[in-house]
Amino acid sequence: MLAEQPPLELSEQEKAQRELEHTLALLEAALYVSGRPLELRTLGSIIRIRSKTRILELARMLIEKYRQKSGALEILELEDGRFALQLKPEYVARVRR
């Protein structure tokens, strides 16, 4: 019979990476569910971060993550500072009901 192995401990870097991925997923979920542009303050309350600078940094990370994908969705930072998840313009005409 083999001795039970203790669970592997994550390094601090791995923990930080998982936390970042979770936070970005929460931002993504908020933008998806809302169906409308959201303000930094609203996004911050969802991810429980008060620093507008940090929220902005995270939202822009999510924008970049979407830019690197070849999917039909994009995240935009609007001129008024809100963020929106939407269908890329090249797909709108093909899927409009």
Side-chain angles (χ1 to χ4, degrees), residues 31 34-39 78 80 82-85:
L31 291 168
S34 73
R36 62 182 173 78
L38 296 178
E39 298 176 352
L78 305 177
D80 64 3
R82 294 178 302 157
F83 290 84
L85 175 66

Side-chain angles (χ1 to χ4, degrees), residues 10-23:
L10 296 176
S11 70
E12 290 303 314
Q13 184 177 2
E14 290 168 324
K15 286 179 187 177
Q17 183 61 35
R18 283 192 180 181
E19 180 66 27
L20 174 61
E21 289 170 6
H22 179 72
T23 300

Side-chain angles (χ1 to χ4, degrees), residues 73-85:
L73 300 175
E74 66 183 351
I75 296 177
L76 298 177
E77 180 177 357
L78 305 177
E79 289 182 18
D80 64 3
R82 294 178 302 157
F83 290 84
L85 175 66

Side-chain angles (χ1 to χ4, degrees), residues 1-7:
M1 188 184 236
L2 294 173
E4 191 172 311
Q5 295 283 337

Side-chain angles (χ1 to χ4, degrees), residues 21-59:
E21 289 170 6
H22 179 72
T23 300
L24 293 177
L26 282 173
L27 288 175
E28 179 182 41
L31 291 168
Y32 175 79
V33 168
S34 73
R36 62 182 173 78
L38 296 178
E39 298 176 352
L40 280 179
R41 181 173 35 102
T42 303
L43 293 172
S45 70
I46 291 164
I47 60 174
R48 296 187 173 143
I49 293 177
R50 297 179 75 162
S51 166
K52 285 188 178 183
T53 302
R54 181 64 177 150
I55 301 162
L56 185 59
E57 178 184 31
L58 290 165

Side-chain angles (χ1 to χ4, degrees), residues 53-95:
T53 302
R54 181 64 177 150
I55 301 162
L56 185 59
E57 178 184 31
L58 290 165
R60 288 178 175 164
M61 277 184 197
L62 190 56
I63 287 173
E64 188 55 37
K65 189 174 175 181
Y66 267 77
R67 282 189 183 138
Q68 293 174 7
K69 290 189 212 181
S70 61
L73 300 175
E74 66 183 351
I75 296 177
L76 298 177
E77 180 177 357
L78 305 177
E79 289 182 18
D80 64 3
R82 294 178 302 157
F83 290 84
L85 175 66
Q86 69 176 29
L87 194 61
K88 289 178 182 175
E90 61 265 32
Y91 295 98
V92 172
R94 296 285 306 265
V95 297

